[in-house]
Amino acid sequence: MPLSLEEVEHIATLARLELSVEEKARYRQQLSAILDYIRKLQELDTTDIPPTSSVLSGAGPLRADESRPGLSREALLENAPEVERGQFKIPPVFESHV
Amino acid sequence: MSDLTDLTLTQAIVALHKGETSSRELTRACLARIERLEPSLHAFLYLAAESALAQADAADRELAVLRKANSQSTKPLLGVPLAIKDVLTVEGLPCTAGSKILEGFIPPFTATAVRRLQEAGAIVIGKTNTDEFAMGSSTENSAYGVTHNPWDTSRVPGGSSGGSAAAVAARLIPAALGTDTGGSVRQPASFCGVTGLKPTYGRVSRYGLVAYGSSLDCVGVLARTAEDVAILYTIMAGRDPLDATTAGAPVSKIEFVGADGRPPLRGLRIGIPREYFVRGIQAEVEAGVRQAVSVLEGLGAEVREISLPHTEYALPVYYILAPAEASANLARYDGIRYGPRIQAESMWDIFYCTRGRKFGAEVERRIMLGTYALSAGYYDAYYGQAQKVRTLIKRDFEQAFEPSRCCAQVDAIAAPVAPTTAFPIGAHGDDPLAMYLEDVFTLPANLAGVPGLAFPVGFDGAGLPVGMQLMVPHFREDVLFRMARAYQQVTDWHMRAPSL
């Protein structure tokens, strides 16, 4: 069952990916083929099988919940595309652009 | 002394301590060979020549003092140059993960695995090429161009750690770090004729590793011999407070059985999983693996056929779980905190445009696949079912290794690494599913979390390396090293070099 163009657009929106018309068409075909293959899993009865979330048995030990020195603000802002007054800068979020 | 770049890691360590060469000479020899061969291989994304030579000089001063005092260094890798796959951070060196979305990113911290090697005296010579975000089996998905296989430059080196594999195979560097989420150390090691380790999940810290599939990602090693791989593994392995998934279990001591006259592998049982010898496998690959198994048998191991019945489901499970985890992990690349930004009117448009234009096609495909598998209405059918089938695959291994089951129990599993030897660049064109099928033999170890070691066991008719992998129970890397080393002591496939 191939994905519809609307489904591809919906996934791209959820994933925040801007796609061209050609990309949508190509991914629609490729993802449909991959999903077809993946559906092979449905043939297995897994009623009583627990899901694996970690391959290692037993939870790892937790470290103490204490504050410790981390990277400096300067080091963290060093790679930012836009910075103002020691903070990441982005366009206004709560304003509407009409 | 012969060409310094011919030295294995072990030989280089000895030569440095004896003063037969200096770290500067060794590092310069590597840099000179890189300079000569990079145009035809493109194994590196970044070279740290200047800082490497400065560190080499510092190491040489330390080595001179030690020699004068006639004492051993506490740093086992003092003065040894290494290369690092460009998905691991090294403070101050660019880290792109093979992606345009991290172009220009200079990490302010060093990955734990790398830091431990540096503390042991190693020198980082540069960052090696990789498929974008380690997603691929050929390095063709690198945004910075493909790496070429040193045995035949019209072919891929495998991937995603293709740069590291090509660099080690071409003697550009004695050893390199790679990462293995679905076979990304073992498959390129096999394609390039080097020895490559994927450790137990949680054995080596992932701190400072650009995350792809967090329940699968492992930091591994590529080198010329099993002994060399074991040296780096032992230094990197162990608990790290900065990665909560690292295991506290003690690192098993590597003991290479000495020459007491007994067959070195006596008492070890090797299982041959029938599901790995299926239609479609290249005849020379199957023949090479079977031949290698009979060599192991000649060294005292017992061989029996076993079954890992859910093997065929590993691929669909992986291509749900890894993309699902990737879709969450890669949400952080949004053009706000690091990496380039495509300026737009709103924050949302910055996200759409930056991600849409800076991610490559394979990354976009996997993000979309994962997003779909996790989306409302599909979660149970895809992600939920895949997590359950993962349990079945894990149980296959547990049963094979289970001590109480008299008829199925083995100490190690031997199998091909990939269905074929290195394929031509462009062979899979725009067919992602065909590329995914390359991973069919390596994925199960990642899903079960068990360690695997790939090493060369011959060549095909075209002169391309054939590899075999061994898989063992969690935390039994020592068995891998013991077996591969015994094999490498009676064969010389691992010492063959491509003519370049």
Side-chain angles (χ1 to χ4, degrees):
Chain A
M1 197 178 51
L3 291 174
S4 67
L5 188 62
E6 290 69 35
E7 282 176 301
V8 171
E9 287 172 340
H10 176 62
I11 302 166
T13 304
L14 289 175
R16 305 277 181 264
L17 291 170
E18 179 203 50
L19 300 182
S20 67
V21 175
E22 296 77 34
E23 283 174 321
K24 285 177 195 169
R26 191 164 66 243
Y27 291 159
R28 182 184 170 198
Q29 179 262 319
Q30 291 171 337
L31 295 175
S32 297
I34 296 164
L35 287 169
D36 257 353
Y37 183 84
I38 285 173
R39 281 194 196 99
K40 183 186 180 64
L41 287 186
Q42 311 303 335
E43 63 191 49
L44 283 174
D45 178 7
T46 54
T47 319
D48 297 320
I49 308 296
T52 293
S53 50
S54 167
V55 288
L56 299 179
S57 48
L62 299 175
R63 66 171 163 76
D65 187 16
E66 292 159 352
S67 68
R68 7 166 228 168
L71 293 165
S72 69
R73 173 182 288 225
E74 290 69 31
L76 286 167
L77 290 171
E78 193 77 21
N79 284 289
E82 224 183 330
V83 170
E84 198 175 298
R85 283 176 288 171
Q87 295 170 70
F88 298 114
K89 190 178 176 187
I90 56 167
V93 177
F94 298 109
E95 260 174 53
S96 65
H97 293 265
V98 189
Chain B
M1 180 173 289
S2 63
D3 194 332
L4 288 174
T5 55
D6 281 334
L7 296 178
T8 64
L9 179 78
T10 305
Q11 290 168 338
I13 290 170
V14 171
L16 285 168
H17 278 92
K18 284 190 179 164
E20 290 168 357
T21 186
S22 66
S23 177
R24 169 167 272 267
E25 283 170 341
L26 181 60
T27 306
R28 281 187 61 147
C30 290
L31 288 168
R33 192 163 169 86
I34 291 168
E35 191 177 352
R36 178 163 84 77
L37 294 174
E38 261 304 271
S40 51
L41 295 177
H42 188 43
F44 282 86
L45 291 180
Y46 182 79
L47 274 177
E50 230 171 273
S51 67
L53 287 170
Q55 289 169 53
D57 288 339
D60 283 332
R61 286 191 292 274
E62 260 184 79
L63 284 161
V65 171
L66 286 165
R67 266 196 303 279
K68 216 172 213 174
N70 209 7
S71 63
Q72 282 286 317
S73 174
T74 52
K75 299 177 180 174
L77 301 176
L78 187 55
V80 176
L82 298 174
I84 309 294
K85 183 182 181 181
D86 201 25
V87 291
L88 287 156
T89 60
V90 183
E91 185 181 344
L93 304 188
C95 183
T96 67
S99 180
K100 291 285 181 195
I101 211 159
L102 275 176
E103 195 165 24
F105 173 64
I106 313 279
F109 60 100
T110 296
T112 298
V114 177
R115 186 177 50 73
R116 288 188 178 173
L117 297 177
Q118 288 177 325
E119 284 169 358
I123 295 165
V124 174
I125 208 168
K127 306 293 292 289
T128 55
N129 200 6
T130 168
D131 286 293
E132 185 174 358
F133 288 103
M135 296 179 189
S137 313
S138 68
T139 74
E140 291 170 292
N141 294 334
S142 168
Y144 302 97
V146 67
T147 295
H148 299 261
N149 191 311
W151 294 92
D152 175 350
T153 52
S154 73
R155 291 175 185 266
V156 304
S160 64
S161 310
S164 288
V168 172
R171 276 48 172 170
L172 305 183
I173 196 81
L177 291 195
T179 60
D180 193 314
T181 304
S184 280
V185 164
R186 289 162 290 151
Q187 185 254 21
S190 177
F191 278 15
C192 291
V194 302
T195 305
L197 170 74
K198 170 225 168 308
T200 308
Y201 177 79
R203 183 77 289 186
V204 177
S205 171
R206 292 181 293 111
Y207 177 75
L209 165 63
V210 175
Y212 159 26
S214 301
S215 79
L216 303 153
D217 291 340
C218 292
V219 177
V221 182
L222 299 100
R224 303 247 303 279
T225 70
E227 198 179 359
D228 290 356
V229 171
I231 290 170
L232 297 192
Y233 160 78
T234 310
I235 293 167
M236 296 192 301
R239 175 131 184 86
D240 175 17
L242 298 174
D243 175 1
T245 58
T246 47
V251 180
S252 48
K253 204 164 148 31
I254 316 286
E255 282 183 79
F256 297 123
V257 177
D260 57 358
R262 289 191 319 162
L265 301 184
R266 175 180 285 174
L268 281 180
R269 280 153 301 188
I270 300 173
I272 311 296
R274 67 176 72 99
E275 291 81 5
Y276 283 65
F277 297 88
V278 288
R279 214 155 35 90
I281 183 173
Q282 187 180 330
E284 293 153 305
V285 170
E286 172 161 0
V289 171
R290 292 202 184 275
Q291 175 64 31
V293 168
S294 64
V295 171
L296 296 173
E297 207 171 5
L299 292 166
E302 226 178 275
V303 177
R304 58 181 67 162
E305 189 173 274
I306 61 163
S307 174
L308 299 170
H310 297 93
T311 300
E312 63 173 310
Y313 299 104
L315 198 122
V317 168
Y318 179 87
Y319 280 98
I320 293 171
L321 298 184
E325 294 178 19
S327 72
N329 275 328
L330 274 62
R332 72 191 67 176
Y333 304 105
D334 54 11
I336 304 295
R337 290 156 298 172
Y338 38 70
R341 171 188 294 186
I342 306 289
Q343 279 300 0
E345 282 288 294
S346 73
M347 184 181 71
W348 303 109
D349 286 338
I350 288 177
F351 295 165
Y352 283 111
C353 297
T354 303
R355 291 166 61 81
R357 293 178 210 176
K358 295 297 179 182
F359 281 138
E362 184 55 35
V363 175
E364 290 187 342
R365 269 192 295 269
R366 292 198 198 188
I367 289 174
M368 293 182 72
L369 199 54
T371 303
Y372 180 77
L374 291 173
S375 63
Y378 298 102
Y379 183 95
D380 288 338
Y382 288 98
Y383 189 77
Q385 177 74 352
Q387 290 280 59
K388 290 176 173 182
V389 181
R390 184 176 189 178
T391 302
L392 295 173
I393 291 165
K394 195 175 156 231
R395 281 183 187 171
D396 282 356
F397 282 89
E398 285 165 357
Q399 280 162 15
F401 295 136
E402 179 63 58
S404 65
R405 282 169 209 250
C406 61
C407 45
Q409 192 257 340
V410 293
D411 301 292
I413 295 169
V417 183
T420 65
T421 54
F423 49 87
I425 291 170
H428 294 315
D430 212 14
D431 185 354
L433 191 54
M435 187 72 91
Y436 297 173
L437 287 164
E438 293 292 337
D439 304 335
V440 65
F441 296 148
T442 47
L443 300 173
N446 297 85
L447 293 169
V450 301
L453 185 78
F455 52 96
V457 294
F459 289 85
D460 71 1
L464 299 166
V466 172
M468 176 170 88
Q469 65 174 329
L470 296 171
M471 294 172 276
V472 294
H474 291 156
F475 305 120
R476 292 312 305 271
E477 282 83 354
D478 59 314
V479 176
L480 292 177
F481 298 133
R482 186 179 152 201
M483 293 177 71
R485 181 162 188 267
Y487 179 84
Q488 291 181 339
Q489 282 185 322
V490 296
T491 57
D492 73 344
W493 306 114
H494 62 295
M495 297 310 283
R496 308 263 180 111
S499 48
L500 285 160

